[in-house]
Amino acid sequence: MAEKEKEQESKRWNYIGFEVFPGKVKDFWGNSDEESKFRERLTSGKPEDVFEREDSVLFKPIMSETERVILMIMAALTVVSLIFPWFRVTHGHAGEYTDYTINAIGFISALPFLGSLGAWGTGLELPSLIILALYMYITPIIGVAFLITLAGMKKNPAKKYSMIKTISKLFGIPILLFFTILILASIGYPMPFGDLGVREIGDSYNLLSFLSMAGIGFYAMLAGALVCSLMAAEL
């Protein structure tokens, strides 16, 4: 009777998983040196040394310091892009032309004039102008918020991750605006008052006209927004 109970008890332990292996169990430690090293680390006083192996990701941060610095640089790029050349145009008449470079800050002074011209156009001029202005000025605002959040991560990183993810998602707005600008430029429209002396425009405004005028600021701002938006998928 006792032997039968002992056999049943043995089967019970086997059933729930104890000592059930396809073969001999491998040693936990790779070698004696590894065992000695980890035993020494047990007395280091650091909790990560007690439970973590070298190839473990248990105590590794979600965002490394290198990633944080890169994101801060790209967020700063969305702000610095305001002073980069956004448009390069050749203006003049009768063969006398002068090259002009316009950044996002200087573009503000031209908005009233361009807006008045758009009122006489086909209806796409004003939406194109508004979307371009939104892309130009909303992106740096998001960039500043992202930069401030990243800079404050060292104090309390756990609470910052949620905010970083939220702001990172907002960078989808300038990305959408960027491609909307290109779509509207692809549709194009005739100029109500001619080329206004801008040689790159010609008789009508189209995608080729826009790309021939667009400067590094237009693309640099997109580059910063794209990289910063990646954290929305990572976190």
Side-chain angles (χ1 to χ4, degrees), residues 105-141:
I105 298 174
F107 185 74
I108 297 176
S109 60
L111 281 175
F113 173 70
L114 295 175
S116 64
L117 292 177
W120 296 90
T122 61
L124 286 178
E125 292 87 348
L126 279 178
S128 299
L129 186 63
I130 292 172
I131 292 172
L132 177 60
L134 289 174
Y135 169 73
M136 193 178 289
Y137 303 120
I138 285 180
T139 311
I141 295 175

Side-chain angles (χ1 to χ4, degrees), residues 46-59:
K46 298 179 181 178
E48 61 268 28
D49 286 343
V50 175
F51 300 106
E52 187 183 21
R53 280 191 155 193
E54 290 181 356
D55 58 347
S56 171
V57 295
L58 181 62
F59 290 98

Side-chain angles (χ1 to χ4, degrees), residues 164-212:
I164 288 173
K165 184 179 180 68
T166 300
I167 300 176
S168 182
K169 289 180 179 179
L170 293 179
F171 280 104
I173 297 174
I175 294 172
L176 178 62
L177 292 173
F178 175 90
F179 288 105
T180 304
I181 292 168
L182 297 184
I183 291 172
L184 291 175
S186 299
I187 297 172
Y189 43 80
M191 298 297 293
F193 299 102
D195 62 6
L196 302 176
V198 179
R199 190 162 58 181
E200 288 81 3
I201 294 179
D203 297 330
S204 62
Y205 173 82
N206 51 44
L207 181 59
L208 181 60
S209 301
F210 180 81
L211 294 179
S212 65

Side-chain angles (χ1 to χ4, degrees), residues 61-127:
I62 298 175
M63 181 189 300
S64 68
E65 182 63 18
T66 300
E67 290 174 327
R68 189 179 76 92
V69 171
I70 292 174
L71 288 171
M72 290 182 69
I73 292 173
M74 299 310 291
L77 180 61
T78 63
V79 181
V80 177
S81 295
L82 288 170
I83 62 175
F84 289 170
W86 272 70
F87 299 103
R88 297 180 183 276
V89 299
T90 305
H91 184 268
H93 295 281
E96 296 182 1
Y97 292 96
T98 304
D99 293 330
Y100 292 93
T101 299
I102 305 169
N103 59 24
I105 298 174
F107 185 74
I108 297 176
S109 60
L111 281 175
F113 173 70
L114 295 175
S116 64
L117 292 177
W120 296 90
T122 61
L124 286 178
E125 292 87 348
L126 279 178

